[in-house]
Each structure stands twice: as C-alpha cells, then as structure tokens.
C-alpha cells in the first residue's frame, strides 16, 4: 500500500487495510484495555472483526493469569465473542514450550504468580512447591533434586530466597533457564510503574552468568504456538497491533507480519520515527508499518 510506512492512517486507508488482512493479532494492555478499563470502542472493534469472519487472537506478555481469567475479563468488559482458543499468553506459551518443545522431565522451579503455576499444572508440568516455612533461608532450606528448568515470570511476591534458590538451580548447566517475557516495566495510572519480569530475569542472568530463553514477545515462539493451532495461517495476511515498539513491533517484524502501533499505550510516534531514521538497520525492526491513535479508529470502516 502507498500509505505503508510509520505514519498515521485514517478513513479509507484503514478500510482497505482491514479488508486486505484476514488475521488480526492484538496485544492486550495498552491496546484493548488499561488494567481493568477497556479502551473506548475496543469491544465494538473486536466484535465487528469477529462477526465479519476475521480471525482474531490476543497475544499478551502478561503471565500472571490463566487463560480462563482472560475469557472472563473479555466478557466482563463487553467483548462478547472471545473464546479460550483465541488467547495466547506468555504463561500458556511457556507451558507449551516446556511440554512440547523441550519435553521437560523433572520439576520446574517457578518465579511467578499463581496463574503461571496453574497454566503449567494444566499442561501436566510439575512445579517445585512454594516455600511455606517463614524461617527458611538459603542456608537452611531444602533444594529439590530434580529441577530441570527455572522459569521466571512476573512475581509480586518475589523474595530474596526465590532468587537465591533459582541461582542455585541454574548452576546445573542441564537446568534450562526460561523467561515468560522480558518486559522491563509496565505503566500504572498516576505515573507509577511496575518493574516487569525482565528486571527479575536480569538479576538471575547476572547471578548465573547465563542468558534466559524468552518465550513471550518479541520471540517468534508465540507465533509458532498460534500457527500450530490455526492451520494455514499466512504471515502476509496478518496484522499485529500493539502499543510497544520493543515488544509488539519487533515481534511482528520477527515473524514477518505487518505491524500497527496504537498510541493508547507505552510508545509514542516520535520514538518510532527515531528508530526509523537510525543508521543502525537493526533498529528498523521496531518501526511500525502503520500507526493509529486508537483501535477505535477502525470503527468507521465497519459502517456500510
Ligand atoms: N506483564 C505484566 C505483569 C503486566 O502487568 C503487563 C501489562 O499490564 C504485561 C506483562 C504486558 O501485557 P501486554 O503484553 O498485554 O501489553
Ligand atoms: Ca501492551
């Protein structure tokens, strides 16, 4: 399209693009909702795409909830037709990776929330029990003998003991080192932020002298999970819609998908333009093909 290339598109251009694509991948936070609040118009857009027979999936790096919770959240926020098989979270994809790719034998030591453990459990992957002795320290605690992977996700109950145990397990070169995602931080309202799992992974990378394998965006693995569950998916027919250049746009670019940045989240159009004018060609992978203020800009395209 003549209008392709890191610029805002509107009206007829959006209509042409939506007609040309048949598979839509949406990031969640910053595109579909902010925390518990749906982005205005997002539900109408998603419902309209699904009703028009488009394939729609959601690709989130948030590892804290099992997929069932996302179905409930979509319903609660007015997205009427979203089903379990449309949801690809970094926790679900981590479980698939452990089960189907590395076929892990033994236990997984998890740094993460209950939702991550539930996804692993659902896939039949045994996890080391959480420490329940309040007096346990790295000097006196028990270490499990058969830990074959350390998986790091967002953990709002992180303790020094968890980091210390993970560091010990990672001494074994046969123990895999995985991260649900590598997000550095997440925006909260009022200018506050949450450190992301990337920051926890970084601590363990320093302690272990190793590099984690990242499952979530921008790694291609999430698209492989989608491809294995939707047969015949053609990257050229896909549009990846996200709000963060370093995760969503790079993910799309890594997977050969057209990308669209929405300005309702983390990244600004100026940052995209800086990447575009960079002499370093690797920076061009962060540049979106299209930009919209919000996915609500799709709505006029659905009017007859
Ligand atoms: N992980 C956590 C813990 C988060 O809170 C968020 C966003 O709020 C994300 C990841 C990013 O999610 P998404 O990929 O849907 O933007
Ligand atoms: Ca996002």
């Amino acid at each position: 399209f003549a209008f392709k290339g890191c610029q805002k598109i509107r009206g007829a251009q959006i209509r042409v693009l939506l007609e040309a694509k048949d598979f839509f991948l949406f990031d969640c936070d910053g595109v579909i909702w902010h925390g518990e609040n749906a982005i205005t118009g997002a539900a109408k857009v998603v419902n309209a795409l699904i009703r028009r027979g488009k394939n729609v999936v959601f690709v989130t790096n948030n590892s804290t909830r099992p997929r069932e919770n996302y179905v409930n959240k979509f319903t609660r926020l007015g997205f009427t037709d979203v089903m379990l098989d449309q949801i690809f979270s970094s926790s679900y994809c981590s479980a698939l990776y452990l089960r189907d790719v590395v076929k892990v034998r033994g236990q997984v030591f998890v740094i993460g929330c209950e939702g991550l453990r539930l996804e692993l459990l659902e896939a039949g992957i045994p996890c080391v029990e959480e420490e329940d002795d309040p007096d346990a320290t790295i000097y006196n605690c028990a270490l499990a003998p058969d830990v074959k992977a350390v998986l790091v996700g967002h953990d709002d109950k992180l303790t020094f003991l968890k980091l210390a145990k993970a560091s010990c397990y990672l001494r074994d070169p046969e123990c895999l080192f995985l991260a649900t995602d590598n997000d550095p931080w997440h925006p909260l309202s009022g200018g506050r932020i949450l450190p992301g799992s990337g920051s926890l992974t970084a601590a363990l990378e320093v302690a272990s002298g190793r590099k984690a394998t990242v499952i979530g965006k921008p790694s291609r693995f999430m698209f492989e999970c989608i491809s294995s569950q939707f047969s015949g998916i053609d990257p050229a027919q896909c549009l990846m819609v996200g709000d963060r250049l370093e995760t969503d746009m790079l993910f799309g670019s890594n997977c050969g998908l057209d990308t669209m940045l929405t300005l309702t989240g983390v990244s600004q159009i100026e940052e995209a333009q800086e990447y575009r004018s960079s002499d370093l060609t690797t920076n061009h992978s962060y540049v979106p093909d299209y930009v919209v203020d919000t996915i609500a800009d799709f709505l006029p395209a659905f009017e007859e």
Side-chain angles (χ1 to χ4, degrees):
F1 299 125
F3 53 83
K4 188 169 174 178
C6 195
Q7 54 180 337
K8 270 196 207 174
I9 60 168
R10 45 181 69 81
Q13 299 167 326
I14 295 178
R15 184 188 290 261
V16 169
L17 181 64
L18 297 190
E19 275 169 12
K21 299 292 178 188
D22 64 20
F23 209 108
F24 294 80
L25 299 88
F26 288 102
D27 164 66
C28 292
D29 203 73
V31 172
I32 297 293
W33 54 59
H34 290 133
E36 274 306 306
N37 303 309
I39 302 255
T40 309
K44 275 190 182 159
V45 166
V46 168
N47 295 345
L49 286 170
I50 295 173
R51 269 201 304 276
R52 275 167 176 68
K54 304 286 188 183
N55 285 301
V56 175
V57 295
F58 300 92
V59 194
T60 179
N61 269 359
N62 193 327
S63 66
T64 62
R65 296 190 206 99
R67 290 196 300 163
E68 287 78 10
N69 286 34
Y70 284 102
V71 176
N72 296 338
K73 180 168 181 177
F74 275 110
T75 309
R76 195 164 70 236
L77 296 182
F79 299 74
T80 47
D81 301 311
V82 177
M83 322 255 240
L84 197 70
D85 61 3
Q86 289 168 281
I87 294 163
F88 292 84
S89 65
S90 59
S91 44
Y92 173 59
C93 294
S94 297
L96 296 182
Y97 187 84
L98 284 162
R99 190 189 68 191
D100 301 337
V101 179
V102 298
K103 301 182 173 61
V104 71
R105 304 254 175 272
Q107 297 192 84
V108 177
F109 183 75
V110 177
I111 290 183
C113 295
E114 195 52 31
L116 177 56
R117 293 172 161 273
L118 287 172
E119 277 306 351
L120 298 189
L121 206 68
E122 176 98 17
I125 294 168
C127 303
V128 179
E129 292 269 322
E130 294 250 79
E131 181 69 64
D132 55 9
D133 176 358
D135 297 323
T137 69
I138 195 60
Y139 302 103
N140 67 16
C141 70
L143 290 177
D146 59 342
V147 172
K148 295 288 185 263
V150 167
L151 173 62
V152 186
H154 186 83
D155 191 336
D156 55 7
K157 298 201 174 62
L158 179 73
T159 62
F160 185 77
L161 182 57
K162 286 191 201 177
L163 285 178
K165 284 184 177 182
S167 309
C168 293
Y169 293 128
L170 289 171
R171 301 281 291 179
D172 175 0
E174 307 227 308
C175 176
L176 299 171
F177 183 11
L178 309 175
T180 58
D181 66 275
N182 212 13
D183 289 2
W185 54 272
H186 304 288
L188 297 177
S189 57
R192 299 186 181 195
I193 65 161
L194 273 183
S197 31
S199 62
L200 311 190
T201 304
L204 286 175
E205 287 184 337
V206 172
S208 65
R210 299 175 55 178
K211 271 282 182 207
T213 300
V214 177
I215 303 296
K217 300 171 288 185
S219 151
R220 288 180 46 90
F221 183 66
M222 286 187 108
F223 189 66
E224 284 168 26
C225 293
I226 297 167
S227 301
S228 71
Q229 294 182 28
F230 291 80
S231 56
I233 174 169
D234 173 7
Q237 296 298 316
C238 297
L239 184 68
M240 170 67 208
V241 185
D243 70 307
R244 199 169 203 159
L245 304 172
E246 296 80 3
T247 50
D248 304 315
M249 301 302 107
L250 182 57
F251 171 71
S253 165
N254 285 343
C255 303
L257 321 175
D258 273 6
T259 54
M260 175 184 276
L261 177 71
T262 64
L263 299 175
T264 43
V266 170
S267 298
Q268 308 297 314
I269 194 166
E270 291 78 14
E271 299 165 58
Q273 289 160 343
E274 264 175 50
Y275 278 130
R276 187 185 50 179
S277 46
S278 163
D279 293 333
L280 207 61
T281 47
T282 50
N283 277 341
H284 299 173
S285 305
Y286 302 114
V287 179
D289 295 308
Y290 310 101
V291 182
V292 291
D293 284 320
T294 152
I295 60 167
D297 291 354
F298 291 9
L299 283 173
F302 302 124
E303 286 158 14
E304 294 309 323

